[in-house]
Amino acid sequence: MSLTTLATDIQKDIQVTLTVNGQYLEISSSNGSNETTTTRLELDFIYGVREKDKQVAIDIVECQQEQQENGSQQSTSIANFRDIGKTTWKRRTIVFDKLSTPDFATRLRQRVLPDIQPHQHVVAIINPAAGSGQALSQWNDTVKPMLVAAGYDTETMSITETKPNEQTRILVEQLGVKMMSQNANTTFIILGGDGTVHEVVNGLSDAYDRRANWPSLPTFKLGIIPSGSGNALSLSLQLQSIEHATLRIIKQKTQPLRLVDVQLPIEQKRKLRIMVVMSWGFHAQLVSKARYLKPFVDNRRFSWVAMWLLYFLQHYAGELTMNHVQRYNKENKKFDDIQDEIIVSDEKFTYFAVTKQASLERGFTITPFASPASEDMDVILMRNASKDQLQSATVKAIQGGKHVDEEDCVEYYKAKELSLKVHDATDICLDGEISSVPANSIVRLKIVGPSEGEPDFQTFV
């Protein structure tokens, strides 16, 4: 049955016809020459349908692609790759009066907005220092108002601010235990970068490990708001802005988030899971040295440090063993059949990274077939690479991940488990944090999820 009504657009003071046609809301009006003008709004972009004093307010978000001033398309380069493809999302509200169909608003709301379950709790975990320090204002000015417009109750919302020195992990563990002990239906909304998400998933995993007599095993639902300086997970989830990420939470479509369990050759008081990257060699040194510039420079600091590392290029001795592994075949552009084991021994590695995300930053597609939802991890490496080879691979990585097809020195794998033995004392990067490991020690990684007795994480997409 079609859904249509006559109404008055209050802002324009004209009579219009509202019609739901497929995936669009069409707003049609006629001018004095009987010519009809129709505006189409995607239903998927509507986040609120509100009635007050016989008026109906429709809340939408709209996307605009950023362009150069002259309107031409930019070519991708080392200097601008982080800016290519950026979008701007804006909210606006259209108010209508004198609707001829009394239940139009109710039926439209049922069409575009999922039902909010009774006693739906929202816990906002906010890193006030993330990115440009705007996370708290982003919650108050954008995320919370959008949730309220969608029908969420402010009485069931709470805020927890992050703390330094891994105290966030402890706070989140306590929240998770409370949630499960009360069998509460809770959505965790994280306003921060990858480091904040890392603390949250580890804290909730700790809560899961403490489970005792819980009515049922939990599913942790995570809403990721890209408020940090590093938003690799948000990029993989294709969340383009604060508004867009909030919209996806409201629409309630989810996908799995699978983690990688890390065993270090040093004492670990608690389990360690990562969801973005473990790296060693060039990338780990890049992250390690760039952190000292973070208070002064934005993400361009990585390009500066990369140029310095290229000038003093080093190689790192180690042995790699991968299990349940597939190697990427450049000729047919597919992964080969699964092998039980592949060993790379007594080699000098230049670049080594294990990821769950296609891009580690905007525009830098290092492992183009990685997915946060998959039951494997992606491994990218280069052995004894020259400065020119590493530079060429980097340029092609910012051109959509062409390096895995076009650079012979780039090796690409998918694996469920691996162990890396480093011959010399070194630094490794774990989701942006640097850890030191001693010489002749082994780092072990394994993909984990509900089938391995680990918690079930779901992210809104």
Side-chain angles (χ1 to χ4, degrees):
M1 181 181 296
S2 63
L3 180 57
T4 186
T5 185
L6 298 176
T8 299
D9 184 327
I10 289 182
Q11 287 99 327
K12 297 180 179 179
D13 192 25
I14 58 174
Q15 188 176 55
V16 298
T17 301
L18 306 180
T19 304
V20 174
N21 185 1
Q23 299 303 311
Y24 295 91
L25 172 63
E26 297 180 341
I27 306 174
S28 302
S29 61
S30 299
N31 58 24
S33 303
N34 292 323
E35 294 180 351
T36 300
T37 301
T38 300
T39 301
R40 306 179 83 202
L41 306 177
E42 288 191 47
L43 297 182
D44 199 38
F45 289 169
I46 297 176
Y47 67 88
V49 181
R50 297 171 288 133
E51 296 178 87
K52 184 178 180 181
D53 299 330
K54 298 183 180 181
Q55 294 181 346
V56 174
I58 298 177
D59 302 298
I60 64 172
V61 291
E62 295 175 307
C63 174
Q64 296 177 340
Q65 190 82 25
E66 294 187 7
Q67 295 182 341
Q68 289 181 286
E69 292 183 2
N70 61 9
S72 62
Q73 188 175 2
Q74 286 181 288
S75 58
T76 304
S77 69
I78 289 291
N80 69 3
F81 73 91
R82 295 182 182 89
D83 299 321
I84 298 296
K86 278 189 175 182
T87 55
T88 299
W89 290 73
K90 295 183 178 180
R91 293 179 290 151
R92 71 182 177 106
T93 299
I94 311 172
V95 182
F96 300 97
D97 196 4
K98 301 177 182 178
L99 276 70
S100 63
T101 304
D103 64 345
F104 180 87
T106 299
R107 292 168 62 189
L108 178 61
R109 187 185 305 110
Q110 292 172 343
R111 176 74 180 268
V112 300
L113 295 174
D115 291 334
I116 299 173
Q117 298 180 16
H119 311 296
Q120 172 70 60
H121 294 268
V122 171
V123 176
I125 301 171
I126 300 175
N127 183 349
S132 57
Q134 300 297 312
L136 185 57
S137 63
Q138 289 166 351
W139 165 258
N140 289 322
D141 299 340
T142 302
V143 180
K144 183 178 178 181
M146 286 183 66
L147 293 174
V148 171
Y152 285 78
D153 186 354
T154 57
E155 295 298 318
T156 62
M157 298 181 187
S158 63
I159 293 177
T160 296
E161 292 194 10
T162 62
K163 305 293 182 184
N165 302 321
E166 295 192 357
Q167 290 301 303
T168 299
R169 179 170 177 167
I170 297 173
L171 287 172
V172 174
E173 178 186 359
Q174 295 168 351
L175 289 172
V177 170
K178 180 180 179 181
M179 164 195 162
M180 289 299 98
S181 63
Q182 296 177 351
N183 198 26
N185 181 14
T186 303
T187 294
F188 294 91
I189 299 181
I190 307 165
L191 287 91
D194 294 322
T196 307
V197 181
H198 174 92
E199 292 292 302
V200 171
V201 297
N202 277 279
L204 291 176
S205 295
D206 293 341
Y208 180 88
D209 292 340
R210 288 178 53 186
R211 65 193 183 278
N213 300 319
W214 286 355
S216 61
L217 292 180
T219 294
F220 294 119
K221 295 180 291 184
L222 307 180
I224 312 298
I225 307 294
S227 300
S229 56
N231 300 301
L233 178 56
S234 295
L235 288 172
S236 285
L237 299 176
Q238 299 182 4
L239 304 176
Q240 301 175 18
S241 71
I242 307 300
E243 297 84 357
H244 185 226
T246 307
L247 177 70
R248 303 326 304 163
I249 295 171
I250 291 169
K251 297 298 182 175
Q252 295 188 29
K253 180 182 177 181
T254 63
Q255 73 174 28
L257 173 65
R258 296 295 175 251
L259 307 180
V260 176
D261 179 76
V262 181
Q263 295 183 26
L264 297 174
I266 56 179
E267 182 181 359
Q268 291 180 243
K269 296 180 181 179
R270 294 172 293 185
K271 290 182 180 179
L272 176 61
R273 295 91 165 179
I274 60 173
M275 81 294 169
V276 177
V277 63
M278 173 268 168
S279 68
W280 165 61
F282 187 91
H283 182 268
Q285 293 303 312
L286 175 64
V287 175
S288 177
K289 291 173 172 54
R291 58 184 166 161
Y292 299 111
L293 297 176
K294 187 175 181 179
F296 314 105
V297 187
D298 60 16
N299 280 1
R300 288 173 296 177
R301 65 187 182 273
F302 293 108
S303 296
W304 298 353
V305 174
M307 288 187 287
W308 185 86
L309 290 172
L310 279 170
Y311 188 80
F312 298 99
L313 188 60
Q314 295 183 353
H315 309 286
Y316 305 82
E319 300 175 22
L320 174 66
T321 301
M322 295 174 285
N323 303 106
H324 306 289
V325 57
Q326 296 172 276
R327 179 166 184 164
Y328 185 71
N329 189 315
K330 299 177 189 295
E331 293 184 3
N332 59 26
K333 294 180 171 49
K334 294 180 180 179
F335 286 90
D336 293 333
D337 293 339
I338 295 176
Q339 301 181 47
D340 290 337
E341 184 178 79
I342 292 179
I343 299 175
V344 182
S345 61
D346 297 325
E347 291 285 355
K348 291 280 189 176
F349 294 78
T350 310
Y351 194 102
F352 178 88
V354 180
T355 80
K356 283 295 294 167
Q357 316 301 329
S359 300
L360 297 183
E361 60 175 315
R362 180 182 296 279
F364 185 60
T365 310
I366 187 62
T367 44
F369 301 108
S371 167
S374 68
E375 300 286 347
D376 50 32
M377 47 191 168
D378 287 38
V379 183
I380 196 93
L381 63 91
M382 299 174 70
R383 294 186 259 174
N384 286 307
S386 67
K387 174 184 174 180
D388 289 341
Q389 287 175 320
L390 189 53
Q391 282 182 310
S392 179
T394 300
V395 169
K396 290 179 179 177
I398 68 174
Q399 295 174 342
K402 294 180 181 179
H403 59 301
V404 300
D405 290 321
E406 299 178 3
E407 294 293 323
D408 291 337
C409 61
V410 173
E411 300 175 49
Y412 189 15
Y413 303 87
K414 284 184 176 290
K416 291 185 179 294
E417 297 182 49
L418 68 79
S419 61
L420 173 68
K421 181 178 180 180
V422 297
H423 290 181
D424 303 306
T426 189
D427 287 339
I428 62 172
C429 169
L430 298 168
D431 280 0
E433 296 297 320
I434 299 299
S435 295
S436 297
V437 295
N440 297 310
S441 58
I442 298 176
V443 179
R444 303 182 189 278
L445 280 71
K446 180 181 179 181
I447 194 77
V448 293
S451 60
E452 291 79 28
E454 292 286 317
D456 182 16
F457 286 96
Q458 298 282 324
T459 55
F460 294 97
V461 293

